[in-house]
Amino acid sequence: MGTEEALEFVNNLVFLKTGEHLDKTQRIILRHLWEDERRTYQDIANRLGYTEAHLKSVGAELWHLLSKVLGVKVSKSTFQGVVQGFRTTQQPTKTSHIPNLEGNDAKPQDLDSSFVGRDRQIAELHTLVSRGEKVILIQGEGGVGKTRLARKYFKSQKFNFVLELWMATEIQNLTPVESVVEEWLRRDFNEEPGGNFGISLERLRRKLREQTSKIGVFIDNLETALDKNGKFLEYRRPYVELLRVLADSDVHSVTLVTSRERLRESSVQIYLYPLGGLDNEAWRKFFSNCHINCDCTILSEMCRAYGGNAKAMQIIRGAILTDFSGDIHAYWQENCTDLLIERELKDLVASQFTRLQENDLEAYRLLCRLGCYRYQDIPSLPIEGVLCLLWDVPEPKRRGVIKALQDLSLIEAKKGQYWLHPVIRDEAISRLRLVNEEWELVNRKAAESWTQRVTAIKNITDALTALEAYYHYVEISDFEQAGDVILQGRGKQWSIGLPLGCSFYQLGLLQKNFSVIKRIIDDIKSQERLIRLYNILGYTYRIIGCIREAIECYEKSEEVLGKLDVKQTKISILFNTGLCKLELWEIQAAEDCFNSVCSLAEQNSNLDDYMTYAQCCLALIKSRSGSREDAFQLAEVAFAAMSSSTRVTLWGIGHSLVTLCITYKNLGNLKKSFELCQQAISHAEENNFTQIKAKAISCLAELFREQGEFARAIFHHSEAIGILDKIGAKSDLAEAYYQLALTHKKMGEIAQSSESFVNAMSATGYAYALFNEMQAPKQVEKVQTAMEYFEK
């Protein structure tokens, strides 16, 4: 069987089964391999100007299609023998003609299970054509499915025939448009071309106007013929004239053009149709059609990571079936951190970068530089974050460079925010890392942009935004600057503002402090930075109930402090150590620390804020030990100082209000305590101080218990416990459970309810476990005393 006979035989079989003919690329593969089965995809690609990856992809789908049509496994090396064997078993009459499927209402089996999720786009193209659009450019990133959409549109609308122009992927292989028009006239219209190009174009225009049948024109991969401004290359300008003919309002043809880049020829009337990626449902249907079952979570992750790219979807399908026996879970678990693991996908993305590098070096540099951003906690950038990476581009041109990347679908943009798809980002950062000087400079520019963006921390987003600078400095191993990001003061608190690390524990982002400080603290050389970082780390440890670790941090701070005469630091270490002792219920040690703080503060009026904090804590201690008069005087002095001092921080005010609230409750002044409690809650809500709010709510519950309003007390106990448990504030959570137990105890005593005592025992058990985990023996002893009472 000869080549042409074999092609016709296979084409008829495919049409009988699917209702569709082999396309041009499939015919090319079959023809060349039938002539010489030893030929490689690379051989064919070199001859005709295709890429090897493209031919491999088409070939894989072709063998899959023929396997279904012929009912046996077909591959590149076996298809010739399979087709010849199939031919010998068939009667010639079965494939000698193609039946009219429309006439007898036959419905070919739909084998194109890989084409999913584009019904809306086909309908939209049909609408555009119905309203008179003659030339439509489908523009999108590589692999998004532009070509398949165009081909499906022509087939779905039953065009009589389609003129095809497949642009080569290499500039030197571009076919002159004069040759294209000559071939169309001779082959498709049986018309001799003119003596020059102008005459040939007019003959083509006349034929397109005369035709009453539906004619499609398909021009694929137009970007090869375009320069960086979206215009045709100088020696391919005649393509403009062809498009003007195809856009003529009187022609009876529809032209679909696919391109990664926009065409910007003002003399051609063309409709731009941007094409985005497929949605989650399309991916689900595709993998389901391939008999690959998976849960929606994994599919959503994959679809989002690859931007819904259709080619990526197909490549991954092949890898899952071939290398993972259809187990998508195993595939994603192994490869979710390396999105370009598949060679074909990497080549697809790399080709876009390479073309951009050749055509628009400024846009290419920006794309690579944008790879330095993480797009994680803060998933997108403001325009300033993009512009800062264009330091070497004249300012009037900068937005044009950004627009160029948008037109190529290489950067995403919405409502003034910009980001890269993870696949594009992976390629961008790998290229950026290759140039050491560029890598360091880009990260410094990005870090400076993040730092300048946030002047005050008002909420969690502000805090996370400011922290982004830290990651850039860590990437270039500048740990001192990374430490400064955590320590830099923002806002109006203190003379230098409130450090970012303090903002994190105030906002309840405790684990964030641990992760960022512990990552760099062993590499910090500056003693001043080291002391301040240990102090923030110690405070965070105290909040989560790791009191021993907190004290260890303060001891390290004191050790580093050594001979440095920094009274502000010394008094901070003393005060925070006192708080740790108070959390452990080591009352005398705590009182000694707070008295030392007061002594130091008396020597320096600039430390009056610490005097206020220490007096509040001393008032609380005195109120519990029975020294009512001393407690009252200290509380009154502290409250007055808190209201007048300019150095008391917002965080300090919040904690002091809660401490005084408990103090006045212990002294029996419930009215004053209620007032302070409400002030503390309002203050915490205004400043997003999660932990302070929870402590104030727990105090409110205690006050309602004192008034016998047990239902409201239980409600607020539960509210406080929920917040503290969520942020991981172990010490405060243990105390909240202990107070809940006391409320149930009092309810049981009044109502003689066994259920209340059971609930009290349960809450006490939680408190006991938490205090025991904190290694706080005095607190454990306090709780054990309560448990012994309940057991009686």
Side-chain angles (χ1 to χ4, degrees):
M1 184 163 46
T3 301
E4 295 305 320
E5 184 183 359
L7 275 176
E8 186 64 22
F9 176 72
V10 172
N11 183 55
N12 288 348
L13 287 176
V14 169
F15 189 87
L16 284 169
K17 199 75 170 178
T18 70
E20 297 180 356
H21 294 287
L22 294 171
D23 64 35
K24 181 178 179 180
T25 310
Q26 292 171 329
R27 285 174 172 272
I28 287 172
I29 292 173
L30 287 174
R31 177 179 286 108
H32 281 78
L33 293 179
W34 193 274
E35 292 173 351
D36 185 353
E37 62 183 11
R38 293 169 299 177
R39 283 177 180 161
T40 65
Y41 289 118
Q42 188 64 62
D43 293 335
I44 303 172
N46 291 339
R47 288 189 179 195
L48 300 175
Y50 288 96
T51 63
E52 180 187 19
H54 175 63
L55 292 182
K56 278 185 175 180
S57 177
V58 174
E61 292 183 15
L62 176 60
W63 311 135
H64 181 69
L65 172 64
L66 293 183
S67 296
K68 290 190 174 182
V69 169
L70 300 175
V72 294
K73 178 72 174 178
V74 176
S75 67
K76 176 173 174 289
S77 59
T78 64
F79 92 95
Q80 189 171 142
V82 173
V83 170
Q84 288 177 330
F86 191 85
R87 173 62 182 260
T88 61
T89 64
Q90 304 298 307
Q91 294 296 327
T93 55
K94 289 186 179 180
T95 58
S96 59
H97 69 284
I98 298 175
N100 185 337
L101 296 177
E102 294 182 25
N104 59 17
D105 294 325
K107 293 184 179 180
Q109 181 183 353
D110 182 12
L111 295 180
D112 195 0
S113 59
S114 62
F115 187 81
V116 294
R118 293 301 191 193
D119 292 343
R120 177 177 61 82
Q121 286 79 7
I122 287 180
E124 289 174 348
L125 289 175
H126 179 66
T127 299
L128 291 173
V129 171
S130 298
R131 75 185 193 193
E133 297 294 345
K134 294 296 181 181
V135 181
I136 301 171
L137 188 144
I138 304 173
Q139 187 253 331
E141 65 183 15
V144 78
K146 304 179 294 294
T147 301
R148 297 206 66 189
L149 174 62
R151 287 164 53 190
K152 276 294 178 181
Y153 173 77
F154 284 129
K155 291 176 181 178
S156 69
Q157 301 302 311
K158 295 181 171 55
F159 280 75
N160 295 88
F161 63 93
V162 177
L163 305 176
E164 293 185 348
L165 171 53
W166 297 75
M167 309 294 282
T169 57
E170 302 294 334
I171 293 176
Q172 63 270 21
N173 295 326
L174 283 172
T175 304
V177 70
E178 296 87 346
S179 300
V180 173
V181 173
E182 284 182 2
E183 182 182 349
W184 284 353
L185 287 170
R186 281 199 177 102
R187 185 191 64 199
D188 298 293
F189 296 106
N190 197 26
E191 176 84 12
E192 281 298 313
N196 60 58
F197 184 52
I199 295 174
S200 295
L201 276 179
E202 281 305 313
R203 290 180 180 176
L204 177 62
R205 188 199 306 268
R206 187 177 67 250
K207 285 294 182 182
L208 293 176
R209 284 177 172 177
E210 291 174 354
Q211 291 291 325
T212 56
S213 54
K214 295 179 68 174
I215 302 172
V217 179
F218 181 29
I219 302 175
D220 195 41
N221 295 329
L222 185 70
E223 69 271 3
T224 311
L226 304 180
D227 63 19
K228 70 175 186 178
N229 297 313
K231 295 184 178 298
F232 281 103
L233 298 167
E234 190 60 37
Y235 61 96
R236 289 292 177 255
R237 296 295 300 168
Y239 274 97
V240 175
E241 301 306 317
L242 171 60
L243 287 178
R244 289 182 63 191
V245 169
L246 297 175
D248 187 329
S249 60
D250 292 329
V251 300
H252 300 292
S253 63
V254 174
T255 300
L256 296 183
V257 183
T258 68
S259 177
R260 297 179 184 179
E261 303 168 16
R262 294 188 182 184
L263 176 66
R264 299 184 183 279
E265 292 286 357
S266 58
S267 62
V268 179
Q269 183 177 348
I270 190 167
Y271 186 93
L272 178 65
Y273 185 83
L275 184 64
L278 296 166
D279 59 19
N280 288 343
E281 178 58 26
W283 275 56
R284 186 202 62 75
K285 183 177 180 181
F286 173 81
F287 282 103
S288 177
N289 289 343
C290 299
H291 306 292
I292 299 174
N293 296 318
C294 61
D295 60 48
C296 294
T297 302
I298 286 182
L299 270 182
S300 295
E301 288 179 10
M302 294 174 70
C303 182
R304 181 171 62 254
Y306 290 100
N309 189 279
K311 178 57 68 177
M313 180 179 70
Q314 294 170 349
I315 292 171
I316 293 168
R317 180 270 311 269
I320 292 171
L321 291 174
T322 303
D323 302 328
F324 289 83
S325 302
D327 189 344
I328 193 172
H329 298 79
Y331 174 86
W332 192 236
Q333 184 176 5
E334 183 168 324
N335 299 308
C336 64
T337 58
D338 188 356
L339 300 179
L340 296 177
I341 188 68
E342 306 302 337
R343 179 58 185 270
E344 289 179 77
L345 184 57
K346 184 172 181 61
D347 289 345
L348 174 67
V349 175
S351 69
Q352 298 180 76
F353 276 76
T354 301
R355 173 168 171 75
L356 185 63
Q357 185 178 20
E358 294 170 350
N359 287 353
D360 192 341
L361 189 56
E362 289 176 343
Y364 171 77
R365 285 175 180 160
L366 175 59
L367 182 59
C368 293
R369 291 170 181 177
L370 285 168
C372 78
Y373 289 111
R374 300 188 319 132
Y375 308 101
Q376 294 179 22
D377 294 334
I378 305 299
S380 59
L381 318 169
I383 185 68
E384 293 80 10
V386 183
L387 291 172
C388 75
L389 302 184
L390 290 168
W391 68 83
D392 50 355
V393 175
E395 190 169 345
K397 293 180 58 180
R398 291 177 183 175
R399 291 182 183 267
V401 176
I402 299 172
K403 188 65 167 59
L405 290 182
Q406 287 182 258
D407 290 348
L408 297 174
S409 301
L410 291 174
I411 183 174
E412 303 298 316
K414 186 175 183 180
K415 296 182 179 180
Q417 294 291 308
Y418 300 82
W419 68 94
L420 298 183
H421 273 307
V423 172
I424 299 297
R425 194 257 179 180
D426 281 1
E427 181 69 14
I429 198 171
S430 67
R431 292 181 178 233
L432 181 62
R433 288 182 189 275
L434 296 177
V435 187
N436 291 333
E437 301 81 4
E438 180 93 343
W439 172 247
E440 180 168 346
L441 182 56
V442 166
N443 275 287
R444 290 193 184 281
K445 293 286 186 182
E448 291 166 5
S449 176
W450 287 119
T451 299
Q452 293 167 6
R453 186 180 175 193
V454 182
T455 57
I457 307 296
K458 299 177 181 177
N459 50 48
I460 290 175
T461 299
D462 289 339
L464 294 177
T465 300
L467 185 65
E468 285 298 312
Y470 162 93
Y471 297 106
H472 292 286
Y473 288 126
V474 169
E475 281 289 350
I476 58 176
S477 299
D478 190 343
F479 301 111
E480 304 293 325
Q481 287 280 8
D484 282 346
V485 173
I486 300 169
L487 299 173
Q488 179 179 333
R490 291 177 172 82
K492 298 179 180 179
Q493 299 188 44
W494 303 341
S495 58
I496 58 171
L498 188 68
L500 178 61
C502 296
S503 295
F504 277 130
Y505 63 65
Q506 292 179 5
L507 293 168
L509 301 177
L510 307 176
Q511 294 304 320
K512 185 67 73 175
N513 255 352
F514 290 129
S515 64
V516 298
I517 294 177
K518 292 168 77 172
R519 167 69 178 81
I520 65 171
I521 200 162
D522 291 337
D523 295 298
I524 297 294
K525 307 302 179 187
S526 165
Q527 290 184 328
E528 184 180 352
R529 289 190 183 97
L530 200 55
I531 291 169
R532 294 178 64 195
L533 287 172
Y534 270 128
N535 281 354
I536 293 174
L537 192 60
Y539 200 102
T540 310
Y541 269 125
R542 184 182 66 80
I543 290 175
I544 68 167
C546 296
I547 309 300
R548 303 298 177 186
E549 289 84 350
I551 293 175
E552 185 179 336
C553 285
Y554 294 130
E555 289 173 348
K556 288 181 178 179
S557 287
E558 201 157 16
E559 182 181 335
V560 175
L561 187 62
K563 299 178 182 180
L564 295 178
D565 185 21
V566 186
K567 290 185 178 179
Q568 177 86 22
T569 304
K570 176 68 175 177
I571 201 169
S572 173
I573 293 172
L574 261 176
F575 176 71
N576 283 299
T577 301
L579 291 178
C580 288
K581 297 297 184 180
L582 195 58
E583 300 277 7
L584 293 173
W585 208 246
E586 297 176 6
I587 302 301
Q588 187 58 55
E591 187 173 355
D592 291 343
C593 287
F594 295 135
N595 283 326
S596 297
V597 169
C598 291
S599 297
L600 279 176
E602 286 174 351
Q603 302 169 24
N604 188 337
S605 60
N606 289 326
L607 301 177
D608 63 343
D609 51 340
Y610 279 96
M611 173 72 83
T612 301
Y613 305 149
Q615 287 174 334
C616 287
C617 293
L618 285 170
L620 176 62
I621 291 173
K622 299 291 185 183
S623 73
R624 284 172 171 166
S625 64
S627 303
R628 297 176 59 84
E629 186 174 340
D630 290 342
F632 180 78
Q633 289 180 353
L634 283 167
E636 290 292 300
V637 170
F639 183 75
M642 183 176 63
S643 304
S644 60
S645 174
T646 58
R647 276 176 286 275
V648 175
T649 66
L650 293 174
W651 179 254
I653 290 173
H655 265 292
S656 297
L657 285 171
V658 173
T659 303
L660 291 176
C661 173
I662 299 173
T663 299
Y664 281 109
K665 185 208 75 170
N666 293 342
L667 294 174
N669 190 342
L670 297 187
K671 180 180 179 181
K672 180 75 170 181
S673 186
F674 264 114
E675 291 175 359
L676 294 176
C677 193
Q678 292 296 346
Q679 286 183 41
I681 292 173
S682 298
H683 181 81
E685 289 176 342
E686 289 172 7
N687 295 281
N688 294 304
F689 293 161
T690 309
Q691 183 205 11
I692 292 177
K693 178 180 178 180
K695 292 182 69 172
I697 292 173
S698 182
C699 182
L700 186 62
E702 295 178 42
L703 292 172
F704 281 121
R705 178 183 68 215
E706 294 300 314
Q707 290 189 335
E709 298 184 52
F710 297 119
R712 298 179 73 177
I714 295 295
F715 173 81
H716 290 300
H717 279 310
S718 300
E719 184 182 5
I721 287 170
I723 297 173
L724 293 168
D725 186 45
K726 185 177 181 180
I727 66 174
K730 190 184 301 179
S731 178
D732 292 326
L733 179 61
E735 181 64 24
Y737 271 120
Y738 177 69
Q739 293 299 329
L740 173 62
L742 295 181
T743 298
H744 280 300
K745 168 180 173 290
K746 193 168 184 179
M747 291 171 64
E749 290 174 344
I750 293 175
Q752 294 295 306
S753 168
S754 60
E755 181 182 355
S756 295
F757 283 111
V758 170
N759 290 334
M761 278 294 293
S762 175
T764 307
Y766 282 119
Y768 177 87
L770 289 167
F771 280 133
N772 194 52
E773 191 177 329
M774 287 167 51
Q775 301 177 47
K778 297 286 186 181
Q779 293 279 27
V780 170
E781 184 180 333
K782 177 183 75 174
V783 176
Q784 280 180 325
T785 301
M787 293 177 73
E788 289 171 2
Y789 172 85
F790 297 143
E791 288 173 353
K792 295 177 182 178

